[in-house]
Amino acid sequence: MLTTFPSLESILPLWLQISTAAAWVLLVILIAWLVSRFTNSEPEIIRKIVHIGTGNVILLAWWLNIPPIVGITASIFGSIITLLSYIFPILPGINSVGRQSLGTFFYAVSIGVLVACFWYLQQPQYAALGILIMAWGDGLAALIGQRFGKHQYKIFGSNKSWEGSLTMTFISFLISMFIFLAIQGNIWQIWLISIFVAIVATVLEAFSFLGIDNLTVPLGSAALAFFLIQLLVLN
């Protein structure tokens, strides 16, 4: 039976919904700044704090049922700011990771695209799935791969590790299962779908370059999950 998370839309006014989401993003940025300012953490650590932390705002947007225009507008502004940051030192702690990448820009774009698509379809769980797989899966995969990745391989000039890729698969599977269990209940199809989504997300992450995985992973994961649910569960 289809279920959804409880919404606070009827309880909180719009300005408070937006303020709650904005406060979360500012908190994440503050934590990243504090870590950067008072520790010797590498730039990649700072970037992943922002990468993982800001991705969780999609859960607030889903739970609070924030209007899609808010997410789309935030995505547009975020995209503009991140593009400018490649020219001017607006976000040095986020973009200075020692490689050429448009990942932060693609990340902002993917949020807007997923919100526009799946809020319109009244299926926000798929937007959440795509963004959370990108935030947690890719974020933890990079950290685990850098620290523990002893079995290396290279694709499109990018160094990857089997440890990082397996982390991506495992985290993507957990996120898919959590969301599908909350929405669809415990049925055998969601286990199979979660495995497929996790594998495809890992492949998309591995075969991406210049940060485009921040676009292909969330969009590809969400689209595949939506298609498979329609095919295997709702038909």
Side-chain angles (χ1 to χ4, degrees):
M1 180 177 180
L2 184 65
T3 59
T4 58
F5 286 142
S7 172
L8 295 182
E9 181 185 19
S10 61
I11 301 175
L12 299 179
L14 178 60
W15 70 266
L16 190 53
Q17 295 176 37
I18 297 174
S19 297
T20 302
W24 172 260
V25 174
L26 291 175
L27 176 62
V28 170
I29 294 174
L30 175 61
I31 292 173
W33 179 82
L34 290 173
V35 172
S36 175
R37 178 68 174 81
F38 296 106
T39 72
N40 295 321
S41 297
E42 299 176 358
E44 183 70 1
I45 300 293
I46 309 303
R47 182 175 177 270
K48 292 308 178 183
I49 290 175
V50 177
H51 181 90
I52 294 173
T54 54
N56 292 317
V57 76
I58 196 69
L59 288 175
L60 285 174
W62 177 13
W63 187 32
L64 299 175
N65 198 20
I66 292 177
I69 188 62
V70 176
I72 295 170
T73 301
S75 171
I76 292 173
F77 277 106
S79 300
I80 293 173
I81 291 173
T82 54
L83 280 180
L84 290 175
S85 73
Y86 292 107
I87 303 174
F88 307 102
I90 301 174
L91 303 171
I94 297 177
N95 290 324
S96 299
V97 293
R99 65 178 185 269
Q100 184 181 10
S101 173
L102 291 173
T104 310
F105 167 71
F106 289 134
Y107 197 14
V109 170
S110 66
I111 292 176
V113 172
L114 288 175
V115 168
C117 291
F118 290 108
W119 253 252
Y120 173 77
L121 294 174
Q122 297 184 343
Q123 302 287 328
Q125 64 269 25
Y126 297 104
L129 180 144
I131 295 302
L132 291 177
I133 284 178
M134 187 67 246
W136 285 95
D138 177 75
L140 292 178
L143 295 177
I144 294 297
Q146 288 180 8
R147 183 172 291 266
F148 303 106
K150 297 181 179 180
H151 301 85
Q152 302 286 324
Y153 64 96
K154 181 175 289 189
I155 297 181
F156 292 139
S158 298
N159 291 320
K160 304 287 183 178
S161 73
W162 286 108
E163 290 83 358
S165 293
L166 288 174
T167 299
M168 178 72 179
T169 304
F170 179 66
I171 297 299
S172 300
F173 174 77
L174 288 182
I175 290 171
S176 300
M177 281 299 303
F178 174 78
I179 291 177
F180 290 145
L181 283 172
I183 299 300
Q184 303 293 341
N186 189 9
I187 55 178
W188 70 266
Q189 291 95 327
I190 69 170
W191 293 83
L192 180 62
I193 292 171
S194 297
I195 292 173
F196 273 113
V197 170
I199 292 173
V200 169
T202 303
V203 171
L204 289 173
E205 193 277 333
F207 282 86
S208 297
F209 55 94
L210 296 179
I212 201 173
D213 56 318
N214 281 2
L215 188 66
T216 60
V217 169
L219 297 188
S221 300
L224 178 63
F226 178 78
F227 171 76
L228 291 177
I229 287 291
Q230 307 305 309
L231 180 66
L232 299 178
V233 177
L234 300 182
N235 281 343

